[in-house]
Amino acid sequence: MTRKLILFLAGIVSAIALAAQPLLVPQPQSVELREGTFALTPRTGIVARCSATNVKLLEQYLEEDIHIALHERTGNNHIVLARTESLDSLLGDEGYRLTISPDTILIEGAHDAGIFYGMQTLRQLAVQDRLHIPCLQIIDKPEYPWRDFMLDEARHFKGKAVVKQLLEEMAYLKMNTFHWHLTDDQGWRIEIEKYPRLTQIGAYRDSSQIGGWNSPDYDVNVHGGYYTHDDIREIVAFAAERHIRIVPEIEMPGHTAAAITAYPELGALDTIPSIPAYFNPFWGVFNVADPQVMEFIHNVLYEVFDLFPGRYIHIGGDEVHPEAWESNRDIARLMEEKHLANYSEVQMWFTNQIARFIHDNGRTLVGWNDIMGKNIHEWAEADIESSHTLDPHAVVQFWKGDPALITEALKQGHRVINSSHRDTYLDYSYTKLPLEKAYAFSPFPQGVDKKYRHLLLGSGCQMWSEWIPRIEEMQRQVFPRIAAYAESGWSRPEQKDFDRFTSVLERLLYPRWARKGIEWHPVP
């Protein structure tokens, strides 16, 4: 047999095997097909040995997906949801085992999160053919514990319904972290009862730059909106039911023009500010040497702690322009008292103060990798870096600079989230960041020693909204690339296959998004 014929036959066998596999996203770690099928009908019962919330959601999901109302009862066949603590060593916190025989679907997990993810896999199987769900066993768990989607609402407010829809799609794709960018120069989107002007003034701007960076054109309509405490508690509870943690981002010490406009005494400059309608201001920097500013930050964070029960609090920490500090006498005095050689060390001192405060309150600080004190920006002076070290509890979210900075952070013992802007920024065009490049992204960079694997938490994909005012525009930037990042965070690298993935998009996800009224960018 010739070599060409062998390769041809091997290709046919591979194609047949691929066609026989069920369409699932993210791709599970292990799928074993077995003889027979399970028919999911209105006579199917649910047997629950897990949280009532999971049962309620399974009933809701199946009614939405395939228009069948199931209940906890005895039926002709059964779906069993079982929390099995003995599976912890096999499955961990989020893994599941899905076993389907002709009369029983058994979803097991050591924890309710794993059962929930097994439910998502069942949903994907059922929507393909509910009367002929293939008998199989899937053993599955995520590669990374941090699978993150970020929405920037400071630049353009989207609202509660949009956030809930995004959370539902994240859950379907087994993503577990919603990074919520709530404050920036152009808007403050979270109610803080102690400081009402943050939303009375800081949540609204009189116009918005359009047309790209440095454009002279503006949309002259007022833009604004914010979330009340009740709104946030509702969204946090909604996410928690779907095993999604919310990480709020409250920017500091830069990107704070909206807060400074509401309370001018917070700023490092003496000018009377207004909320910028353009998207690259440099003056929005807190006067971190003023004890009243630190008191303000602490009070804001106390309310944030109360609203968000999760472990992580993001402070941004990126793109702090030192011009606002250069003529400030308080900053000069602080530098002399604390022996700070430059403004990078001023920021490092501030970041460490906030990191300790957050840690003392039982939480963990996350910040963009600017917080490491390294020069990563074209506009910064090349030799201005901090010789001080970052608080050891801080988590570093890498977005810009030499990828070697990831290794440096890992060597210092920091946990790292990989959000390299070249690979994960959803505001980038599909020409700059095509779907295939997004799918090829690996949270664990090439060249990093495997011994640091336990410190690489995972990855995030970011929907920045400066130039994305409309919901439909946002959806086309997010979908379908979010599914690529979901698979990169969950599936093993050797299981990824772009041809299979595009088939899943066309046959499973596009029909779902069409039913949900979600727009997506067409893939050639």
Side-chain angles (χ1 to χ4, degrees), residues 224-344:
Y226 66 93
Y227 294 99
T228 67
H229 280 201
D230 287 343
D231 291 334
I232 289 173
R233 290 193 176 99
E234 178 184 337
I235 292 170
V236 167
F238 185 90
E241 287 185 337
R242 290 150 182 81
H243 300 277
I244 295 172
R245 62 184 160 213
I246 297 185
V247 179
E249 182 174 353
I250 311 297
E251 278 273 15
M252 61 183 83
H255 285 285
T256 55
I260 294 170
T261 301
Y263 294 93
E265 63 271 21
L266 301 174
L269 297 174
D270 293 330
T271 56
I272 302 299
S274 61
I275 295 180
Y278 56 100
F279 291 114
N280 57 350
F282 67 87
W283 58 264
V285 183
F286 283 150
N287 178 7
V288 298
D290 185 344
Q292 291 184 334
V293 173
M294 300 300 283
E295 180 183 3
F296 166 85
I297 293 170
H298 291 173
N299 288 334
V300 167
L301 288 174
Y302 281 133
E303 292 196 32
V304 171
F305 297 154
D306 183 59
L307 291 169
F308 296 94
R311 175 178 176 183
Y312 297 98
I313 304 294
H314 207 299
I315 69 157
D318 58 309
E319 298 177 322
V320 179
H321 289 261
E323 293 94 328
W325 284 340
E326 288 174 353
S327 60
N328 187 286
R329 286 177 291 181
D330 294 337
I331 296 294
R333 185 181 66 253
L334 176 73
M335 294 177 72
E336 183 177 355
E337 290 176 355
K338 303 297 182 182
H339 308 291
L340 306 175
N342 54 52
Y343 297 116
S344 182

Side-chain angles (χ1 to χ4, degrees), residues 404-454:
L405 293 173
I406 294 178
T407 298
E408 183 174 343
L410 294 170
K411 284 182 176 179
Q412 293 177 13
H414 293 289
R415 288 159 293 165
V416 173
I417 304 156
N418 187 357
S419 296
S420 167
H421 73 95
R422 294 183 179 89
D423 302 292
T424 68
Y425 270 26
L426 293 164
D427 56 313
Y428 288 176
S429 71
Y430 281 80
T431 301
K432 187 171 184 177
L433 180 51
L435 178 63
E436 191 165 5
K437 181 179 179 181
Y439 186 76
F441 170 69
S442 171
F444 198 83
Q446 289 185 347
V448 176
D449 196 315
K450 297 293 189 211
K451 70 181 180 181
Y452 298 118
R453 175 66 175 74
H454 66 290

Side-chain angles (χ1 to χ4, degrees), residues 494-512:
E494 63 270 19
Q495 293 174 307
K496 293 174 64 176
D497 181 287
F498 188 67
D499 290 336
R500 175 197 55 77
F501 175 73
T502 55
S503 180
V504 172
L505 286 179
E506 293 167 1
R507 296 166 58 188
L508 179 68
L509 291 182
Y510 291 169
R512 170 182 171 80

Side-chain angles (χ1 to χ4, degrees), residues 84-93 95 109-111 139 141:
T84 308
E85 295 179 0
S86 61
L87 291 174
D88 188 70
S89 60
L90 175 67
L91 301 176
D93 292 340
H111 303 274
I139 299 175
K141 63 181 180 179

Side-chain angles (χ1 to χ4, degrees), residues 129-145:
D129 187 349
R130 67 174 178 82
L131 294 177
H132 301 90
I133 299 175
C135 292
L136 50 72
Q137 184 173 80
I138 293 175
I139 299 175
D140 196 16
K141 63 181 180 179
E143 275 291 280
Y144 294 95

